Amino acid sequence: MVTSAEVNINEIIKELYNGSVQSIKKVVPVDPQFEAPKLSTDPLFVNYGVLIGYSGSFKGDLLIRANKEVFSAIGEALYGMPLSDEMLDSFSGELGNMIAGGSFDTFS
């Protein structure tokens, strides 16, 4: 039997996921691919990515994971030049900020 608390959490996760997807589609000028959301309590092993944390009444994280070449291609599509090393690291963090900001607009 599914409780109302479980339904509420599922609805919150669905809204967070859909809002994040819409934000990514607005920010990223390429055709992004999405997987279904997954609940995980296992340690994360990521070579390269952006982690966006949610706090407040619902706590969780959104992980955007790809290799450096993907983040570089996104940066090049946005800025017209390839990004590498420290510039790429800085851009990846900024990309996370742009997506989080767009998500905030959706959620509010």
Side-chain angles (χ1 to χ4, degrees), residues 7-23 37 54 58 103 106-107:
V7 170
N8 190 30
I9 289 173
N10 288 338
E11 286 298 313
I12 291 170
I13 291 170
K14 182 175 97 175
E15 290 300 317
L16 287 172
Y17 178 78
N18 289 336
S20 299
V21 166
Q22 291 306 314
S23 178
Y54 295 100
F58 182 83
S103 297
T106 301
F107 303 143

Side-chain angles (χ1 to χ4, degrees), residues 13-87:
I13 291 170
K14 182 175 97 175
E15 290 300 317
L16 287 172
Y17 178 78
N18 289 336
S20 299
V21 166
Q22 291 306 314
S23 178
I24 291 167
K25 286 181 176 181
K26 288 179 192 174
V27 171
V28 176
V30 295
D31 187 23
Q33 308 235 339
F34 301 96
E35 294 180 5
K38 298 174 188 153
L39 178 62
S40 177
T41 57
D42 296 333
L44 292 174
F45 297 101
V46 178
N47 289 327
Y48 206 81
V50 174
L51 185 67
I52 300 170
Y54 295 100
S55 61
S57 59
F58 182 83
K59 293 179 180 19
D61 297 305
L62 170 67
L63 173 64
I64 301 170
R65 179 178 61 179
N67 60 38
K68 284 186 173 190
E69 290 77 20
V70 171
F71 281 92
S72 183
I74 294 169
E76 187 170 356
L78 281 170
Y79 301 119
M81 60 185 244
L83 305 176
S84 61
D85 302 323
E86 293 88 21
M87 247 179 122

